[in-house]
Amino acid sequence: MITWMQRHKKYLIITIWISTIAFVGAGFVGWGQYGYGDKAGAVAKVGSIEITGGELQKSYSNLYAQYSQMFQGEFDEEKAKSFGLKAQALRQLTQQALVLNLAASYDLQVSDAELLNEIKAQDYFHKDGVFDKELYKEILLKNNLSIKEYEAGIKKDILVKKTLKLLPIEVKDSELKILDTATNIADKINYKVLDTNIINIDTSDEFLKPFWESKKNDFMTEISYDLKFIKQAKISKEYSDAILNEYYNENKSNLKDSDGKILPLDAAKDKIKAELDAKETKKEALKTYVAYKKGEAAGVDIQTLTISPTKNPFGIDAFEVISKLTTASPFSKPIMVGEDYFTFELVKVNQPKAKSYEDAKNDILYLYVGEQKKIKLLELAKNSFSTFNGTTTDFITGNDYNKLTDLNAKEAKEFLSMLFTTQNRRGFITLESGNVVMYNILEQKLLTNTNTDQNNPIVRLKSAMFSEGLIKNLQSKYKTEIFIQGL
């Protein structure tokens, strides 16, 4: 019989050491004294690569979101400070910059095609299974990212990957055999799933309102803009054949059909008229814009509206222009929306503020119920795991997630990965979904399967060791300068 400790030595978990662009839906967390904008000066310099305050904020935000998920929402600025999260964020960026310096020494570059392929591969920019450009713009806008800024981050990510591919890690057959013992440990277990749905929560104001009081600064209104605007409706005119001919001769290389062939004049006339109308509309809008700025737009219909990222009738491109207006420079040049042109004047920026209890109630309700269910489910597990009786399995390994029929595939994989790192014969494991699995390991044995998979912890271990050595080497080659205090 193999002893308990021998059969349950913890597997090595290798952390990714290069910081990549954050998932845009992760949210944004900043910190007071380091509230740099994206265009702020450098906070550090590694070789020839500068690290901006905006990049540091985003790296911190990404780490904060990861830790918050790991701690199931029980993570705050105090814990972030104790974990040295700011220093971790800067360290990730400096390590990335070291590799980017190496890429520059190899003269590696990222083509537009590579960038486009990488962006199109991101599922969260897909609509009905296909990349959607408008959704792409919308998601970036809602996460305070410009297209230029996001794509610069993606390029860095691709460049890091291309550089590391030049330095491949290979594993010998003898090394693959090292993990055979660990990966062939099989447990026969009795387990029971405690689902959050079995827990009922009192959601009356008596309980919900104090919860909101403790977290109300997490539920903010959107930034919004009070505007004045002038609409220049589309102008439709009649044009002589001479004007149409002249325009056609000057622009026919751009007047093509769906096959890329230049259209004959008769077939192009409608398109020519539309383009001439657009030019006339823009010309008139510019005249009004100039007069409006000078305070000379008498008789012009000036309208008012307040817009926000989710209440915006003018479209993403117009919103991006509006968001860059200031009280010192409040006027926008005419912007085309559909077939019309709009000139905007910024009146006031309404910064986010804490929502009232009533406005935040629906959001608070979801969070409160989820949190309370987890708490009560954990209490139930603590009181039950030593005496429960559930489903008994055959001998299973860490790869036999499909044999746990009471769990979906994702939960089963998560459960087994934690089960085979625990040193407790009987206990419970909390899953990311909030569900809890109680387990009792009844028997164990060692299988005789041979591991020939190149994609296993040995590969990850060697990669991590190589990466550590590479970073140390690059640190001696490229000077790192930190321009801020306290990290």
Side-chain angles (χ1 to χ4, degrees):
M1 174 70 73
I2 304 174
T3 65
W4 181 262
M5 289 297 289
Q6 284 176 324
R7 287 176 294 192
H8 279 271
K9 287 183 179 178
K10 294 190 176 183
Y11 294 128
L12 292 167
I13 301 174
I14 308 303
T15 302
I16 297 173
W17 59 278
I18 293 294
S19 171
T20 58
I21 190 75
F23 168 59
V24 292
F28 188 83
V29 180
W31 61 89
Q33 69 190 87
Y34 301 116
Y36 300 99
D38 291 339
K39 297 181 181 179
V43 296
K45 186 176 182 181
V46 181
S48 62
I49 307 293
E50 290 188 342
I51 298 170
T52 68
E55 289 173 320
L56 182 54
Q57 276 192 329
K58 287 177 177 61
S59 179
Y60 178 83
S61 177
N62 189 28
L63 275 176
Y64 192 99
Q66 292 173 18
Y67 274 88
S68 183
Q69 184 177 21
M70 287 168 55
F71 282 82
Q72 300 180 347
E74 296 297 320
F75 191 76
D76 53 24
E77 288 290 345
E78 198 61 38
K79 284 191 177 72
K81 186 177 180 180
S82 68
F83 283 19
L85 219 60
K86 299 170 189 177
Q88 286 187 47
L90 184 58
R91 185 163 58 250
Q92 283 189 344
L93 290 174
T94 56
Q95 289 179 347
Q96 182 193 60
L98 287 168
V99 180
L100 291 174
N101 275 283
L102 182 61
S105 72
Y106 289 147
D107 197 26
L108 294 180
Q109 297 180 6
V110 176
S111 68
D112 290 343
E114 288 175 308
L115 175 62
L116 183 60
N117 288 337
E118 183 71 18
I119 292 172
K120 285 185 173 181
Q122 306 295 338
D123 290 342
Y124 35 84
F125 298 136
H126 286 198
K127 186 175 182 180
D128 298 326
V130 179
F131 174 76
D132 187 287
K133 187 176 181 180
E134 292 305 310
L135 179 62
Y136 172 58
K137 290 180 180 179
E138 182 181 342
I139 290 177
L140 294 188
L141 179 64
K142 287 183 178 179
N143 287 274
N144 298 315
L145 285 168
S146 68
I147 291 176
K148 182 179 178 181
E149 175 189 3
Y150 180 72
E151 291 183 356
I154 290 291
K155 278 190 173 183
K156 288 181 181 179
D157 182 27
I158 296 172
L159 203 51
V160 166
K161 292 175 183 177
K162 288 180 75 170
T163 306
L164 297 179
K165 280 184 179 179
L166 297 176
L167 309 166
I169 304 298
E170 295 182 354
V171 178
K172 298 177 182 178
D173 289 342
S174 58
E175 292 173 325
L176 291 171
K177 293 177 182 177
I178 293 175
L179 284 187
D180 278 353
T181 299
T183 56
N184 285 328
I185 294 173
D187 288 349
K188 184 176 185 179
I189 67 170
N190 184 266
Y191 74 101
K192 184 174 183 178
V193 180
L194 299 180
D195 194 296
T196 55
N197 291 328
I198 67 174
I199 304 295
N200 294 316
I201 303 297
D202 186 341
T203 58
S204 63
D205 289 347
E206 177 186 356
F207 296 96
L208 199 57
K209 198 163 187 177
F211 182 79
W212 166 75
E213 288 283 357
S214 69
K215 294 183 179 292
K216 60 182 177 181
N217 288 333
D218 294 336
F219 295 87
M220 309 292 285
T221 60
E222 292 184 300
I223 189 170
S224 63
Y225 303 91
D226 294 345
L227 303 173
K228 292 181 180 179
F229 68 92
I230 300 170
K231 176 183 176 181
Q232 175 58 60
K234 176 188 174 183
I235 294 175
S236 296
K237 295 178 64 175
E238 293 297 324
Y239 303 96
S240 67
D241 288 341
I243 292 175
L244 296 176
N245 284 331
E246 182 183 0
Y247 188 88
Y248 176 77
N249 290 328
E250 290 177 354
N251 299 278
K252 62 182 178 182
S253 61
N254 297 322
L255 300 169
K256 298 178 180 179
D257 61 18
S258 58
D259 296 325
K261 296 180 181 179
I262 294 176
L263 292 166
L265 176 58
D266 287 342
K269 278 187 177 180
D270 287 342
K271 192 170 185 180
I272 293 171
K273 288 178 180 178
E275 292 183 6
L276 288 172
D277 283 344
K279 289 181 69 175
E280 290 296 320
T281 307
K282 184 175 183 180
K283 186 190 299 184
E284 192 62 31
L286 283 168
K287 287 181 183 178
T288 306
Y289 158 73
V290 172
Y292 183 57
K293 281 188 69 176
K294 292 180 178 179
E296 300 172 355
V300 173
D301 181 19
I302 301 172
Q303 302 179 59
T304 60
L305 187 68
T306 298
I307 70 169
S308 68
T310 58
K311 295 180 180 179
N312 167 31
F314 303 115
I316 295 169
D317 292 337
F319 189 90
E320 187 171 350
V321 172
I322 292 166
S323 67
K324 293 176 181 177
L325 297 177
T326 66
T327 52
S329 180
F331 299 99
S332 74
K333 289 184 178 180
I335 302 168
M336 192 174 191
V337 179
E339 295 183 325
D340 305 322
Y341 276 88
F342 289 82
T343 296
F344 298 102
E345 179 188 0
L346 176 67
V347 177
K348 181 184 175 185
V349 178
N350 304 302
Q351 297 294 344
K353 62 181 181 180
K355 291 181 179 179
S356 67
Y357 172 65
E358 290 301 325
D359 288 340
K361 190 171 182 178
N362 287 338
D363 296 331
I364 286 288
L365 182 64
Y366 177 80
L367 184 65
Y368 175 75
V369 169
E371 187 173 299
Q372 290 300 307
K373 281 190 172 186
K374 287 180 180 180
I375 291 172
K376 293 187 179 296
L377 207 61
L378 279 175
E379 291 177 356
L380 179 60
K382 288 176 182 177
N383 294 329
S384 307
F385 80 91
S386 60
T387 57
F388 85 94
N389 184 37
T391 302
T392 299
T393 69
D394 293 328
F395 283 98
I396 57 174
T397 69
N399 295 321
D400 291 329
Y401 62 89
N402 59 323
K403 295 182 179 179
L404 302 180
T405 56
D406 295 340
L407 296 166
N408 62 44
K410 181 183 177 186
E411 289 181 325
K413 289 178 182 178
E414 185 183 354
F415 168 64
L416 289 178
S417 70
M418 289 190 277
L419 177 70
F420 281 92
T421 61
T422 184
Q423 297 181 16
N424 301 317
R425 181 183 289 274
R426 182 189 280 268
F428 60 89
I429 290 171
T430 302
L431 304 178
E432 187 179 323
S433 63
N435 294 339
V436 175
V437 183
M438 299 184 293
Y439 67 88
N440 179 19
I441 300 177
L442 306 174
E443 297 181 61
Q444 296 179 316
K445 69 178 179 179
L446 187 63
L447 306 179
T448 58
N449 298 328
T450 301
N451 182 1
T452 59
D453 182 11
Q454 285 279 329
N455 184 23
N456 66 67
I458 286 289
V459 178
R460 297 196 295 273
L461 176 59
K462 290 189 72 174
S463 296
M465 294 172 66
F466 174 80
S467 299
E468 184 179 352
L470 175 63
I471 288 297
K472 288 181 179 178
N473 181 274
L474 295 177
Q475 284 171 337
S476 65
K477 186 175 182 180
Y478 302 108
K479 182 180 179 181
T480 298
E481 300 174 89
I482 308 298
F483 305 137
I484 56 177
Q485 302 296 319
L487 292 184

